[in-house]
Amino acid sequence: MNIDLDHLRSWIGHEETRSEVLMPTLVERFNATFDRDGPLDEGAEAPPMIHLCLCQPVAPSAALGPDGHPARGGFLPPVPLPRRMWAGGEMTFHAPLCIGDTVTRRSVIEDVALKTGRSGDLCFVTVRHHFNSDSGDLITERQDIVYRGAPTGTAKPPSPAATAPAAPHNRNIATTPTLLFRYSALTFNGHRIHYDRPYCQEDEGYPGLVVHGPMQATLLAQFAADLRGAAPARFSFRSLSPVYDTQGLGLRAAETEAGISLWTAAPGGPVAMEAQAQW
């Protein structure tokens, strides 16, 4: 496919700003989704990683593409590759979000780059999100989005990946369709790979529903906070391979000199996401 990189790079510097009140009902639903408890009083600190549910893009149903995402060419550049995934990111937490605050997210396109992988062209879009409220800066987040082509049947199959290593700290998560649906609803994410099994299998070629990258990141950040007794000040992660609802998900963690190294994997499978938490 001929991709006009210069045209796509003209989106660098584009900005989008959205604001939303952090309501106690959202906190309640977030905690229920992850089987966690916490205060719901106005002014109380909200749970870490709930910012991923705030200030999300909103598009009418008529403006969605066939995959359930908003059609290309608005804030994000119109990359002509059909598959879009969240490849990774990094978050720095300056101050906690509080229930009742009006949170503003200012998003900026920082880079657009084209690479070639085993399956063909890959286009990476880097977005920087700045979250703040009347009290000041809250979170700075880098989001790495990757676009790739649909499988053609001619791509060289990947070499079998090594089984994820064992770890001193372990937690297992049942990746039920209900869990995936609830997280899609929390984040207003219409991407059909997370809830539409026939679409996953017949159109995208996946064996099951794809477990969200942001949800895996949230589970790992929560795991790190539980191990240390405090939410990390900095959290980074990178997606390496998909996990499906039929497999279940293991959270793994090991202490390091810099903090905690974490990863996810399906039983007997390779590392799906790797992360680092620092305090």
Side-chain angles (χ1 to χ4, degrees):
M1 179 179 291
N2 185 24
I3 298 176
D4 188 346
L5 183 59
D6 289 338
H7 176 60
L8 297 179
R9 286 182 62 83
S10 70
W11 259 255
I12 293 174
H14 277 208
E15 294 192 12
E16 178 183 71
T17 300
R18 300 186 64 89
S19 296
E20 183 175 347
V21 177
L22 178 48
M23 301 295 291
T25 49
L26 177 63
V27 176
E28 183 179 29
R29 292 164 186 166
F30 181 90
N31 285 337
T33 298
F34 292 104
D35 291 318
R36 301 178 74 86
D37 297 315
L40 299 176
D41 302 322
E42 185 164 342
E45 289 188 11
M49 305 296 282
I50 199 172
H51 72 282
L52 297 177
C53 306
L54 289 171
C55 308
Q56 293 297 312
V58 176
S61 296
L64 300 179
D67 62 355
H69 271 310
R72 315 291 171 85
F75 168 65
L76 291 170
V79 179
L81 296 171
R83 287 187 168 184
R84 187 176 98 187
M85 304 289 286
W86 196 12
E90 183 177 53
M91 305 164 188
T92 301
F93 300 92
H94 309 292
L97 281 70
C98 292
I99 298 173
D101 282 355
T102 297
V103 178
T104 297
R105 185 182 78 175
R106 182 173 65 88
S107 305
V108 184
I109 304 292
E110 284 199 340
D111 194 23
V112 180
L114 190 63
K115 299 181 181 180
T116 301
R118 183 186 292 107
S119 60
D121 290 332
L122 300 171
C123 187
F124 290 86
V125 178
T126 303
V127 183
R128 184 79 59 178
H129 301 297
H130 305 270
F131 291 83
N132 63 71
S133 68
D134 289 341
S135 60
D137 293 338
L138 300 170
I139 300 166
T140 304
E141 175 190 355
R142 189 195 77 240
Q143 181 181 6
D144 303 323
I145 304 169
V146 62
Y147 297 80
R148 59 191 178 92
T152 62
T154 60
K156 180 181 177 181
S159 302
T163 301
H169 304 290
N170 300 273
R171 180 179 294 174
N172 295 320
I173 304 295
T175 51
T176 64
T178 303
L179 175 63
L180 271 62
F181 168 80
R182 279 186 159 196
Y183 192 75
S184 287
L186 282 171
T187 55
F188 204 65
N189 181 358
H191 200 180
R192 294 169 66 186
I193 64 172
H194 303 305
Y195 61 86
D196 187 338
R197 194 178 304 278
Y199 173 83
C200 281
Q201 296 174 333
E202 297 166 13
D203 290 76
E204 300 258 5
Y206 293 123
L209 302 177
V210 179
V211 179
H212 310 67
M215 187 171 72
Q216 292 184 58
T218 295
L219 288 164
L220 288 176
Q222 291 172 341
F223 193 24
D226 291 344
L227 291 172
R228 279 289 179 93
R234 186 174 179 179
F235 183 77
S236 60
F237 63 96
R238 184 166 67 106
S239 294
L240 299 177
S241 61
V243 174
Y244 307 105
D245 70 308
T246 54
Q247 298 175 290
L249 185 70
L251 310 182
R252 308 290 180 251
E255 299 277 351
T256 67
E257 291 184 1
I260 296 180
S261 179
L262 306 108
W263 58 98
T264 62
V271 173
M273 175 178 285
E274 59 182 15
Q276 301 291 328
Q278 297 175 315
W279 284 261

